[in-house]
Amino acid sequence: MKDLETKQQGLQNQILLMKSTTSTGTAGTEELEQKLEEISTELKAAKSQTVQAADTQSMRRRFDTYEPAKEEVDSCGLYKIQQDEDKYQVLFSPYSDQ
């Protein structure tokens, strides 16, 4: 896709250069404009394919999944929620301290 964008930019620059250097303004640019149109169409198609691929990936991973633990693991401490006026604090006490 970057290659197509580079080609598109190069053709646009060539067309502008030809129009600015010729007295009639459009002499010889028809071919370049046709190539530019083809590359623009290819670029739009490539972008739509990447957008569709991204949409299907986001649909598959829309929700978190729950996976039960494979083995029981003891907790390393205790968490407490304490309210102070308008804020909450999460306090952690490791079991090794008790």
Side-chain angles (χ1 to χ4, degrees), residues 80-94:
K80 292 182 186 178
I81 297 176
Q82 184 179 29
Q83 184 178 6
D84 293 334
E85 296 173 13
D86 61 340
K87 298 187 291 183
Y88 288 94
Q89 289 184 333
V90 178
L91 305 172
F92 175 74
S93 303

Side-chain angles (χ1 to χ4, degrees), residues 13 23 26 30 42 54-55 63 66 68 82-83 85-86 89 96:
N13 290 341
S23 59
T26 59
E30 292 86 16
E42 289 177 25
D55 286 344
F63 300 105
Y66 170 76
Q82 184 179 29
Q83 184 178 6
E85 296 173 13
D86 61 340
Q89 289 184 333
S96 60

